[in-house]
Amino acid sequence: DAKTTQPNSMESNEEEPVHLPCNHSTISGTDYIHWYRQLPSQGPEYVIHGLTSNVNNRMASLAIAEDRKSSTLILHRATLRDAAVYYCILRDVRSNDYKLSFGAGTTVTVRA
Amino acid sequence: NAGVMQNPRHLVRRRGQEARLRCSPMKGHSHVYWYRQLPEEGLKFMVYLQKENIIDESGMPKERFSAEFPKEGPSILRIQQVVRGDSAAYFCASSPNVGMNTEAFFGQGTRLTVV
């Protein structure tokens, strides 16, 4: 299985952008990049996903490198409610992969 | 449309007792997944069920753990003869189908404490 590498933690100031990197150097052509986050004492929550093109939704943007070996989740204006653990997960379309393989993720702290 | 409902939110059991964790998926969702999060560890997949069928139980411990998703009613994760090492947060997720463009919706979890 392709693996992802994320920094353990990141800090941000409120209302500033947050860029969360994810390395996936062994990604295959059929792996989708998914992001989930887990707020304190909550279950994980879907954030965004993509394959090759950059993606935007109401929560965040996903920038995918041209070689797909890395990606960056962008929170445009961090709020205190964005403090969470963010997980970058690969899912293989060939196997219709329903399992989410959560790593350690990146713990994001937002300062008021 | 209510989200994924798990109950109880907190459960305390003595060693040797049984724990039953319930999960009601979102309306219209027929796929249910259970994950476990041990203290200071990441979430690990346990089992995937569709109505009345276990599709993948590769993450379930071989003994004492079982899961079901009956035709009517919630999905149940059952842990028999609990031990301290079973103390963890158990999360249920549901989806309307499977596929790359399908997101999983998680409940708030049941925190099991074995004393």
Side-chain angles (χ1 to χ4, degrees), chain B residues 5 7 20-26 29-32 34 49-52 68-77 92:
Chain B
M5 303 300 292
N7 68 81
R20 290 171 70 88
L21 288 62
R22 296 175 189 78
C23 169
S24 295
M26 287 183 70
H29 289 195
S30 58
H31 302 256
V32 166
W34 285 91
L49 310 102
Q50 291 183 34
K51 280 290 187 181
E52 299 185 273
E68 63 177 14
F69 188 17
K71 187 176 181 181
E72 301 291 338
S75 175
I76 305 288
L77 180 67
C92 168

Side-chain angles (χ1 to χ4, degrees), chain B:
Chain B
N1 187 8
V4 177
M5 303 300 292
Q6 290 189 249
N7 68 81
R9 289 292 307 278
H10 299 273
L11 182 62
V12 179
R13 283 287 177 267
R14 296 187 183 279
R15 280 177 296 171
Q17 290 185 319
E18 178 180 287
R20 290 171 70 88
L21 288 62
R22 296 175 189 78
C23 169
S24 295
M26 287 183 70
K27 187 176 180 180
H29 289 195
S30 58
H31 302 256
V32 166
Y33 319 83
W34 285 91
Y35 288 78
R36 178 168 67 171
Q37 188 168 33
L38 293 166
E40 308 303 322
E41 293 190 20
L43 292 106
K44 303 295 183 190
F45 168 82
M46 298 181 75
V47 62
Y48 161 37
L49 310 102
Q50 291 183 34
K51 280 290 187 181
E52 299 185 273
N53 291 304
I54 297 174
I55 307 301
D56 180 353
E57 56 182 348
S58 59
M60 289 275 272
K62 294 288 185 281
E63 297 178 348
R64 301 187 298 107
F65 284 71
S66 62
E68 63 177 14
F69 188 17
K71 187 176 181 181
E72 301 291 338
S75 175
I76 305 288
L77 180 67
R78 183 181 176 204
I79 311 172
Q80 295 177 293
Q81 299 175 324
V82 296
V83 301
R84 289 232 170 98
D86 296 332
S87 295
Y90 292 83
F91 293 96
C92 168
S94 73
S95 66
N97 47 53
V98 290
M100 285 302 104
N101 292 318
T102 300
E103 64 179 276
F105 295 83
F106 283 80
Q108 294 194 315
T110 293
R111 280 149 185 84
L112 173 65
T113 302
V114 180
V115 297

Side-chain angles (χ1 to χ4, degrees), chain A residues 94-106:
Chain A
R94 289 173 302 177
S95 59
N96 212 16
D97 196 3
Y98 45 79
K99 295 179 194 175
L100 296 171
S101 298
F102 292 89
T106 297

Side-chain angles (χ1 to χ4, degrees), chain A residues 39-99:
Chain A
L39 279 65
S41 300
Q42 301 287 322
E45 173 187 33
Y46 168 83
V47 178
I48 200 166
H49 77 278
L51 182 62
T52 56
S53 303
N54 294 344
V55 185
N56 299 294
N57 66 21
R58 62 176 179 81
M59 289 182 70
S61 295
L62 177 60
I64 302 172
E66 198 168 332
D67 64 4
R68 300 211 327 125
K69 293 184 184 300
S70 65
S71 60
T72 301
L73 179 71
I74 302 165
L75 307 178
H76 294 286
R77 290 183 65 192
T79 70
L80 297 177
R81 288 175 296 177
D82 291 320
V85 180
Y86 287 77
Y87 300 97
C88 172
I89 299 168
L90 300 182
R91 296 178 67 188
D92 189 348
V93 67
R94 289 173 302 177
S95 59
N96 212 16
D97 196 3
Y98 45 79
K99 295 179 194 175

Side-chain angles (χ1 to χ4, degrees), chain A residues 11-51:
Chain A
E11 290 190 356
S12 174
N13 294 317
E14 203 173 8
E15 298 195 4
E16 290 186 355
V18 182
H19 290 241
L20 300 175
C22 180
N23 288 323
H24 26 78
S25 58
T26 59
I27 192 171
S28 75
T30 54
D31 282 323
Y32 276 72
I33 303 159
H34 286 245
W35 284 82
Y36 279 74
R37 72 179 185 180
Q38 187 175 20
L39 279 65
S41 300
Q42 301 287 322
E45 173 187 33
Y46 168 83
V47 178
I48 200 166
H49 77 278
L51 182 62

